[in-house]
Amino acid sequence: MGRLCERCAQLLQDFGNFVRSTASRVAERIKELAAELRECCCLTSRKTKVKQLYEPVLPQHEREAAEEFLKHLEIGPKEWPPSKETLDALMTVAFSESTELQHSAALYYLHISQNMTTQLPPKLLEPYLPLLQSSDLEVQQMSSLSLVNFLLQGNVNKEQVVHVGLLEPILEMLESGDSAIQCNSCACIMTLAISEYNCETIGLTGGFMPLLTLAKSYDPRVQQNAVGAILNLTRSERIKSIMCHEGALPVLTLLLQSADAEIQYYSCASLGNIAANSEYHKAMLAIGDKFLLRMLVSLMSSTVQKVSSQACLCLNNLASNAEVRGHLLNIDFMPLFPALLNSSNKDVRQASVTLLCTLSHPPRNLDAFVCKDMLQHLAILMQMERANHVVIIHTSCIMENICRAGAVEVLVRSQCFEELLLSLLDPMNDEESIGFVVECLAELTKHEFTLKYLYERKGESPIKCLVRMAMNLENKDLSFKSATVIRNLSHSGASNLKYFKEEVQDYLTCYLSHPELRFQQMAISTLCSLSEGMLCCFTYLSPETLL
């Protein structure tokens, strides 16, 4: 390259001087702005500002309280419950403006909450008020966590917590910007709401809306505890009404889609509690054109067993409505039941058979083809759960409804009918379960096919059991139901009642003199339906008794 002329060399020199000058001025200006920003109070942390302004001096009474509190900590668990002096010192420390002293009190509560095995004295709840309202986040975190520990372990009376005024600061913490504090306060509400009194108080003091907001939190811990708290609040009818009017249903329904199984479970259980009241069914089904039903049917197949069980129970509450039963049967979800009825989990088996029982009610009964297939799985379930009163009661109701739908032959020929008779004879079953079994037999024995089958079966044990229960007038309802079956059997001349003529005569005699009219009518009805040969055997029924 050639040499620059004098003019170009001068231009380059001027350009360099300009850049250096400008850069120097920019640097100076940046320094000035940075200094101004540092001096502004909005960018200075609160703690730094306090330290710059003054060094706090503890008042004499707080210093003495701190010393007394320190002595208690040095003694340790030997002094329990704490003395009055220690409690007074703790109150002073908790109410102090010094965050260091409050920090000590909060740390003390956190420590004893992790090691306590006895009840917390009610006086020890009072220092919680200033700690939960502290301006220091760490103090709030520790004090709220220790309170959760006490509540979960049952070391404090839940209603006492509300009585001493701690509910208000707990509700205020729901709106904290700190996720740990939100999580702990939701856990407090969830535990406190187990009490019926607290549940009403929380709902009526505006605790529900912040929980509904936190149910949509991006922090899974906060979301879990918020939905868990909502679940416990749904135990109150009054709070359920508030929830439904404040928009809880769409939120809970959408939470069924959560990837978190705990959130699915809590929201499903909450909806189940709400669905227990048919007043809310219309609003629940209106969300997304029965979107709730489709989601619940989907959750029946969940690999998380408690979610599957809860989905069945929620659907069962909704299915008490005949219109809902029709919608569910149109979805064609019956193929899901075999796997549920044969589940390894007892709760899933019970929930699914409960739902199937509700679906079997008229006007939309199960068709004959579905019945035949389902009865095989019900028979297996009855074999597995011979002494489970939930299974016995609901399978008896299902068979009774199938019988009323006209599928008598399918039912009597199935293994289910044999299992029903075995349930009648099982001494492990309670009287309530046996009552449903007998009621089912009363419906079945109205049909000639059943009577013929029982006669050909040649088994006397079921009839003997029925006669024995008819004679036991201490349980009047079970006695009357058993007598109903015997009366139905007496219509058949080919019945096996002749082997128990003395026992039948004894209970009929008691029925005829019974003060309740229904027993007298049952006795007369049975005598009218007995065959001539059987009547001749009743030698001790005098004309006076019959009159």
Side-chain angles (χ1 to χ4, degrees):
M1 179 188 286
R3 288 172 60 84
L4 293 173
C5 67
E6 290 184 7
R7 181 174 176 275
C8 289
Q10 185 61 45
L11 286 172
L12 284 174
Q13 187 177 354
D14 292 344
F15 178 72
N17 292 336
F18 173 75
V19 170
R20 281 191 294 274
S21 172
T22 304
S24 177
R25 288 199 303 273
V26 170
E28 286 298 322
R29 184 58 180 155
I30 289 172
K31 289 179 182 178
E32 291 174 8
L33 292 172
E36 290 178 11
L37 287 170
R38 281 198 301 270
E39 291 173 5
C40 184
C41 62
C42 72
L43 293 179
T44 306
S45 68
R46 183 173 182 179
K47 288 183 180 179
T48 305
K49 178 183 174 184
V50 170
K51 288 179 182 177
Q52 288 174 344
L53 289 175
Y54 67 90
E55 287 292 329
V57 179
L58 286 178
Q60 183 62 28
H61 73 286
E62 289 189 5
R63 188 177 299 166
E64 292 172 357
E67 290 173 359
E68 178 66 34
F69 186 51
L70 185 61
K71 288 179 186 176
H72 171 70
L73 294 179
E74 288 173 351
I75 295 172
K78 294 179 182 178
E79 186 195 24
W80 191 263
S83 65
K84 183 181 182 303
E85 291 75 16
T86 302
L87 286 172
D88 291 341
L90 181 57
M91 284 287 287
T92 304
V93 168
F95 275 94
S96 172
E97 291 183 4
S98 168
T99 55
E100 284 78 7
L101 287 183
Q102 284 194 324
H103 192 279
S104 302
L107 196 58
Y108 168 72
Y109 274 113
L110 185 59
H111 172 72
I112 63 173
S113 74
Q114 294 169 340
N115 298 280
M116 180 170 285
T117 55
T118 59
Q119 284 292 107
L120 188 75
K123 278 285 184 184
L124 273 175
L125 283 174
E126 294 176 15
Y128 263 109
L129 188 61
L131 296 177
L132 295 175
Q133 294 176 323
S134 173
S135 59
D136 188 276
L137 291 181
E138 197 170 351
V139 171
Q140 282 192 327
Q141 288 172 356
M142 288 192 293
S143 55
S144 59
L145 178 58
S146 64
L147 185 56
V148 171
N149 291 341
F150 284 133
L151 287 167
L152 290 176
Q153 294 163 12
N155 297 132
V156 293
N157 182 290
K158 296 177 179 62
E159 293 183 4
Q160 183 69 31
V161 172
V162 175
H163 285 313
V164 297
L166 298 186
L167 180 59
E168 185 179 346
I170 292 172
L171 293 177
E172 287 173 357
M173 288 193 300
L174 291 174
E175 301 184 46
S176 168
D178 184 83
S179 60
I181 294 173
Q182 289 176 340
C183 182
N184 294 341
S185 54
C186 285
C188 282
I189 298 295
M190 178 168 61
T191 315
L192 289 171
I194 294 173
S195 158
E196 185 178 347
Y197 169 80
N198 289 348
C199 184
E200 295 277 329
T201 307
I202 292 165
L204 296 175
T205 52
F208 169 67
M209 287 308 294
L211 289 172
L212 194 61
T213 301
L214 293 178
K216 296 176 277 188
S217 170
Y218 290 108
D219 187 315
R221 299 172 307 153
V222 174
Q223 196 178 28
Q224 274 187 18
N225 287 346
V227 184
I230 290 172
L231 167 60
N232 287 342
L233 290 174
T234 58
R235 302 175 194 276
S236 163
E237 282 298 324
R238 190 188 301 186
I239 307 306
K240 279 195 284 191
S241 176
I242 295 172
M243 286 183 179
C244 293
H245 284 99
E246 295 293 340
L249 292 177
V251 175
L252 291 172
T253 302
L254 288 174
L255 286 173
L256 295 175
Q257 295 178 298
S258 172
D260 189 309
E262 286 297 316
I263 293 172
Q264 285 183 332
Y265 170 76
Y266 287 142
S267 53
C268 199
S270 301
L271 289 165
N273 286 346
I274 295 171
N277 188 333
S278 59
E279 178 185 338
Y280 307 116
H281 287 186
K282 186 176 180 180
M284 296 176 81
L285 297 176
I287 301 169
D289 189 24
K290 303 175 187 66
F291 172 75
L292 175 59
L293 291 184
R294 295 194 294 274
M295 276 305 307
L296 290 171
V297 169
S298 173
L299 290 178
M300 284 173 65
S301 303
S302 172
T303 54
V304 181
Q305 292 171 329
K306 66 178 183 179
V307 174
S308 173
S309 169
Q310 202 56 239
C312 289
L313 293 175
C314 185
L315 282 170
N316 180 67
N317 287 343
L318 287 167
S320 61
N321 182 316
E323 183 183 351
V324 174
R325 290 200 296 275
H327 289 307
L328 287 172
L329 292 173
N330 288 336
I331 292 174
D332 189 28
F333 74 129
M334 298 305 292
L336 298 176
F337 278 94
L340 295 171
L341 292 171
N342 296 323
S343 169
S344 60
N345 183 271
K346 180 180 178 180
D347 290 337
V348 173
R349 295 196 297 269
Q350 290 188 168
S352 57
V353 76
T354 302
L355 174 57
L356 190 60
C357 176
T358 304
L359 291 171
S360 69
H361 282 79
R364 288 291 301 271
N365 297 99
L366 307 177
D367 60 51
F369 176 76
V370 171
C371 289
K372 188 173 182 179
D373 183 55
M374 200 62 65
L375 286 170
Q376 297 175 7
H377 299 287
L378 283 173
I380 296 170
L381 176 63
M382 293 176 78
Q383 289 170 356
M384 291 171 59
E385 302 276 9
R386 289 197 189 278
N388 185 325
H389 74 281
V390 174
V391 171
I392 299 300
I393 288 172
H394 287 96
T395 49
S396 299
C397 289
I398 291 169
M399 286 188 271
E400 185 177 348
N401 291 331
I402 289 173
C403 175
R404 286 175 177 163
V408 179
E409 291 190 27
V410 173
L411 176 55
V412 174
R413 291 182 189 277
S414 72
Q415 183 61 30
C416 254
F417 185 67
E418 291 297 323
E419 292 298 328
L420 186 74
L421 296 177
L422 289 174
S423 298
L424 178 71
L425 303 174
D426 194 333
M428 297 296 291
N429 287 324
D430 57 25
E431 289 186 344
E432 182 187 10
S433 304
I434 296 298
F436 281 90
V437 171
V438 174
E439 198 169 332
C440 178
L441 284 172
E443 185 64 34
L444 282 164
T445 51
K446 290 178 182 178
H447 302 272
E448 188 65 33
F449 185 85
T450 310
L451 297 173
K452 184 180 178 183
Y453 179 86
L454 285 171
Y455 178 72
E456 292 175 351
R457 190 174 177 273
K458 300 297 183 183
E460 299 173 8
S461 297
I463 298 174
K464 181 179 180 180
C465 182
L466 288 165
V467 171
R468 176 176 53 79
M469 288 189 292
M471 293 174 66
N472 181 19
L473 279 165
E474 289 183 9
N475 187 333
K476 293 192 291 185
D477 287 339
L478 183 58
S479 173
F480 189 82
K481 289 174 183 177
S482 302
T484 304
V485 180
I486 294 170
R487 185 211 38 207
N488 293 346
L489 291 171
S490 67
H491 283 293
S492 170
S495 71
N496 294 318
L497 284 175
K498 58 187 177 183
Y499 300 110
F500 308 101
K501 54 182 180 293
E502 291 182 6
E503 291 87 346
V504 172
Q505 178 178 322
D506 287 343
Y507 90 75
L508 287 177
T509 303
C510 292
Y511 272 33
L512 287 168
S513 58
H514 198 280
E516 288 189 38
L517 186 61
R518 61 173 177 153
F519 285 94
Q520 298 173 25
Q521 291 175 334
M522 177 61 70
I524 294 169
S525 174
T526 303
L527 287 168
C528 290
S529 59
L530 284 170
S531 63
E532 186 177 340
M534 275 289 290
L535 279 173
C536 293
C537 298
F538 292 167
T539 54
Y540 299 104
L541 281 175
S542 64
E544 291 80 5
T545 305
L546 290 172
L547 290 172

